[in-house]
Every structure is written in structure tokens, then in C-alpha cells.
Amino acid sequence: MDIIIWGTGKMGRMAYVYYSGIHNIRYFVDNCPDRQGTVLEGKKVCAPSILEKEKEITVVIASKNYGEEIQKQLYNDFGIKNSVLFQVKEEYCPCGETYFPFDPNGIVVKMSGGLGNQMFQYAFGRCFEKKGKRVSYELSYYTNMERHFILADVFKNSKLTFCHPEYLSSLPVIREPDIKLVQKLEADLELLKADTGYFSGYWQSYQYVDLVRQELVEEFRFPEEKEAQLEKLAKAAASQNSVSVHIRRGDYLEDGNQKLFAGICTEEYYTRAFELILKLAGDCKFYIFSNDTEWVKEHYKNDAFTIVESKRFEDYQDWYDIYLMSCCKHNVLANSTFSWWGAWLNQYVDQIVIAPGRVVNTCDVVDFYPKEWIRLPASEKKRSDNGKQDIDGYNTNL
């Protein structure tokens, strides 16, 4: 049977692999003009208009976000009733593929959280490796979790080996202090002198990252092959006097997180950040990233704002936001590891980074932000300890 595949992203390529041994794939179809006229897997990529004479053909829709919309388009615009939604059931295996023989004198770092957290934990492990220690990573956190361990998939240059949880009982456990239970948190560089241990924590400090800066610059390289919409947006941001703006709401507004995060990245914080960045960098184009795009659309309607939504991409992945943030000239951060890494990976020489005055409410996280980044309180202007104001009242080190 002849079929046509609609979609040329990751899902489209998977559909090709699945169907190529069963049916004759005539060509691909894609709504994106940048892809039309190209060739994928030896098949031509065509515009949807080619389907006007294909009423009896079966179309396989390989789109993660727009399947039902494309199905309606096929029926309404072309009268095509035979369409199939190609779907992939994702089952996550929390064990890596490369293992050291268990080393009772080695270092094991527990991985947890999303990509931004994984990057900090990886940097912490690389600090030990730089000192000649044997390091592996443990992934039991991701068993039956909605979040996946994705660092190895995103950063192919990363040097990762894994440890089975069954061996951990023989290692001393070193836990990072809980930010809910201590008043102050700072990198403990003495930990890096350990010969062995199972290290559990987030290790979110620029001090650890700075120790392996050159290694991370080489290893945190995003995939070379990127979908057309992502490349297009990245090029636009890189060509403008652009500012990435991260507004994190969603999970930060949940009852259990109010004590930790409420009142840090307020609307006033962002207003003052915009005023300051315009004063320091001139006219800017703002690219807004958020996990609450509907709220952002209601509050930022000016032409200066481009709201980056996941649904604009064929196959959105978490790393897209960090990558696009790193392509902007300047960065306005939320108290989040995502925007932290977006700013840190930014290579623009005259980069300006504005970050909130606090990371969490319960604890003074001393060294989360590098000293050269501007710290901006949520509301009133505050003076630094020596009584001086750095930039019209905005302190670079609160």
C-alpha cells in the first residue's frame, strides 16, 4: 500500500523507519516552507497543496503536538478521510548503557530533577574527575518519575558512566544540606578532597562550575541537527539586540512551593529588570520563556516581546529553551536552573545578566549566581553591605 507521511521532525523520521519495511512511502508533507522542496530519507518533502489530487491516499500524521489539527486540515482542505496518527509509547529505563565495574573507592553522584539540575550535578562530578577520581552517576530517582534523565541525549560530548543502585550500600553517603533546614548554603570545596562516597544533592554553585569551565564549554554542546523552526528563531535572536526573559510560574505557584518561592520574581522585578536592561543595552527585543504562556500573553502584548511557545515547534524538547536563551545577547533570569544555564552558556562578549536578589526565601544561597551578574531585588532598592549602590541602586552582589 502507498502512504504519505506528514511531518519531517523526529516523529516523521521514526514513522519512516517503522513504515518503510511495510508500505511504499511516496513522499513527505510538511507545513513548514523551509522544509518544502528538501529531501528526507531519499523522499521529497512537499507542501500540503500536493494532496489536492490524493483523496484516496492514506496519510500517516507524525506530529507530536498538532496531530488532531492536521487531521482536520486533511479532511476540510483536501477531503482526505484516511489518516493515521503515528504515536510512540515512551517507556523510560533508568539505567545507563555504560558501567564501570563497581569501585568501592570511587565517587558516585546521584542524578535528580530536570535538565538544569542534571547539568549542575554533572559539573559537580566533573570536579572530582579533574582531580583524578573515578566518577559514575546513579539514576534511581527517575524510576517511575515523570521526569527523565536526558543529559546524555542532549549533550553527546558528556562523559557519563553509571552505577547500579545495588552497590550504594557500601559507600559513605554525603548529603547536601537541605535549603529548607539551613539559613545559609555555600559550596563546600573541601568535599572535593573525598576519595569515595555517594553524593546526594543539587550542588548549584558557580564555584563548582568554574572549576571545570573549559570542560563544560566543550561538553555542553547542543545537538548539531536542529529542527527548522528552532534554527530560525535562534538565528533571529542572535542577529538582534535580544534579551531572553524567563518567567517561571506553574509549579512555583503551587501551595507546597509558596514558602520557598513567593515574592522573589514579582511583576515589579521584571518591570525593573526591563528598565535596567534598556538603560544599559539600549533598545532590545525581548524573548519570553515561561511555563505559563497564557498568563504571559495577557501581560506582555507589546511588539517588543516574542513569546516562545513549545507548540510552535514540531518536536519540542526541554533543551530548546536553554539553547535559545544562550543565543540571545543578554539575559533576565528567574530563580531557576534553566535560565541560569541559558545565561552561563551565552558567549556574547558584552553580555548583561540580571538575576533576582534571592534564590529561595528560606535560605541565603550565597554562590548560586556568579558575582558579575547583576542582582536585582524584587521591589525596593537595597544597598550593599558597604553602603554603596552599584548601578543607580541596583547591586551586583547582594
Side-chain angles (χ1 to χ4, degrees), residues 95 167 278:
C95 294
Y167 297 120
L278 289 169

Side-chain angles (χ1 to χ4, degrees), residues 215-266:
E215 290 84 350
L216 296 181
V217 167
E218 291 300 317
E219 292 161 19
F220 285 165
R221 292 183 179 273
F222 294 99
E224 292 186 6
E225 184 178 344
K226 303 179 184 70
E227 64 169 276
Q229 285 298 317
L230 180 62
E231 286 281 38
K232 185 176 181 180
L233 202 58
K235 289 178 181 177
S239 66
Q240 299 169 321
N241 190 27
S242 54
V243 182
S244 76
V245 180
H246 190 203
I247 300 177
R248 184 163 176 175
R249 289 170 55 81
D251 58 326
Y252 274 22
L253 302 181
E254 294 174 0
D255 291 342
N257 288 327
Q258 285 290 306
K259 184 178 179 181
L260 278 176
F261 304 121
I264 295 178
C265 291
T266 60

Side-chain angles (χ1 to χ4, degrees), residues 116-141:
N117 290 326
Q118 294 167 27
M119 294 168 75
F120 272 111
Q121 289 155 351
Y122 176 79
F124 182 68
R126 291 294 278 126
C127 290
F128 284 102
E129 289 188 274
K130 193 167 185 178
K131 291 178 174 290
K133 305 292 172 56
R134 199 174 191 181
V135 178
S136 56
Y137 298 87
E138 190 273 309
L139 307 177
S140 62
Y141 171 89

Side-chain angles (χ1 to χ4, degrees), residues 22-39:
I22 307 172
H23 303 296
N24 177 44
I25 300 169
R26 290 173 53 184
Y27 49 82
F28 288 89
V29 170
D30 202 293
N31 270 324
C32 178
D34 292 341
R35 299 184 184 186
Q36 295 163 9
T38 62
V39 175

